Amino acid sequence: MSHPVALVTGATSGIGIEIARQLREDGFSVAISGRSERRGAEVAQQLGDGVRFIAADITAHGAPARLVNDVVSVFDRLDVLVNNAGIDHTKDLLEVDDAEIDELFETNTFAAMKMLLAASRQMRAQGDGGEIVNITSRLASIGVPTMGIYSATKGAMHAFTKAAAVDLAQYNIRVNAVAPGMTRTPLYQEWLDGLDDPEGEAARVASAIPLGRIAEPGDVAAAVRFLASPGAAYITGASIPVEGGYLAK
């Protein structure tokens, strides 16, 4: 029997790389996608055999369907989609302009929805089900100053996860979400390095989390790994928070 096939979008840095690594360890053939051909080639080489980079800007017209077709042309099928591609945004709410709103929703919500639909159509055609994991955020469930538009894009995906899970259950396609909190990624480090007191801010952020630290990419990837495994075969429409207990306070 051939290996199951996973597609991880936004897999050229941070959490996406670790998700691809863990799925590969579990025996998946893995397609990783992103906009940077240079970074994609480097990551694919780093992760080794069974991983293929496919360049894609999923916000482009028709790109989600093309990406799924490209994955199937390489690996013959698609069993798992991890909707990980996204962009961050922080700005005083009343200073946000229309272009920023459009860009955030195009990437974090509309492209992710289209990826889900394209992957689901392929899984339905295969006839044996599949799994979709949407990477959302703790901010889908809470309000944080300066993060309003980003929160809205992730909140929409949180709601869409539940609705799609109900719609697609008839095809044995499971749809779940993983909602990370603050995670130690290159974007986090870049933000921290730009502050006047990086060490003090890092300590402050960690102190607000019951478990006393921010997440590592591996923490988030482990939740995805579980949802993509046979052990999660009866789980759909769920959102797993990976935020050290922040939302439990």
Side-chain angles (χ1 to χ4, degrees):
M1 182 178 175
S2 60
H3 293 290
V5 177
L7 165 61
V8 185
T9 67
T12 57
S13 67
I15 293 169
I17 295 176
E18 189 58 30
I19 291 170
R21 186 195 316 279
Q22 291 195 20
L23 292 178
R24 184 69 192 116
E25 288 174 358
D26 281 355
F28 283 87
S29 296
V30 182
I32 58 174
S33 75
R35 288 179 292 188
S36 171
E37 299 221 16
R38 178 187 58 79
R39 286 208 313 267
E42 289 172 357
V43 172
Q45 183 174 29
Q46 171 190 333
L47 296 179
D49 290 344
V51 177
R52 179 74 68 88
F53 172 69
I54 301 174
D57 175 359
I58 60 170
T59 65
H61 179 69
R66 286 195 298 272
L67 176 55
V68 168
N69 287 340
D70 287 346
V71 172
V72 174
S73 72
V74 173
F75 292 114
D76 296 324
R77 60 183 294 111
L78 177 62
D79 301 283
V80 172
L81 165 67
V82 183
N83 246 334
N84 176 67
I87 55 175
D88 204 0
H89 183 266
T90 304
K91 195 172 187 179
D92 183 88
L93 184 60
L94 298 184
E95 302 302 318
V96 177
D97 62 35
D98 290 355
E100 290 171 287
I101 294 173
D102 291 347
E103 182 184 22
L104 277 167
F105 272 91
E106 281 292 344
T107 303
N108 293 357
T109 308
F110 302 149
M113 287 178 168
K114 292 170 186 176
M115 282 302 315
L116 181 148
L117 294 174
S120 297
R121 288 169 182 141
Q122 174 61 32
M123 293 170 184
R124 179 182 62 181
Q126 290 167 187
D128 50 4
E131 163 68 11
I132 293 166
V133 183
N134 296 317
I135 306 300
T136 59
S137 171
R138 66 176 181 173
L139 298 179
S141 303
I142 56 172
V144 170
T146 75
M147 299 291 290
I149 307 303
Y150 177 85
S151 297
T153 67
K154 294 300 187 175
M157 287 306 298
H158 176 78
F160 189 52
T161 296
K162 294 179 179 296
V166 173
D167 266 328
L168 299 175
Q170 62 185 308
Y171 307 114
N172 195 31
I173 298 171
R174 296 182 296 112
V175 186
N176 293 293
V178 169
M182 191 76 83
T183 305
R184 195 181 307 281
T185 64
L187 276 177
Y188 166 81
Q189 194 59 49
E190 183 181 323
W191 167 74
L192 206 60
D193 290 344
L195 301 177
D196 293 334
D197 180 18
E199 289 187 12
E201 184 63 17
R204 186 196 68 76
V205 168
S207 70
I209 299 168
L211 287 182
R213 66 174 178 87
I214 70 167
E216 299 293 337
D219 296 320
V220 180
V224 176
R225 183 182 209 165
F226 166 66
L227 289 172
S229 75
Y234 199 60
I235 299 174
T236 195
S239 177
I240 298 179
V242 184
E243 31 68 300
Y246 189 92
L247 295 178
K249 293 190 299 179

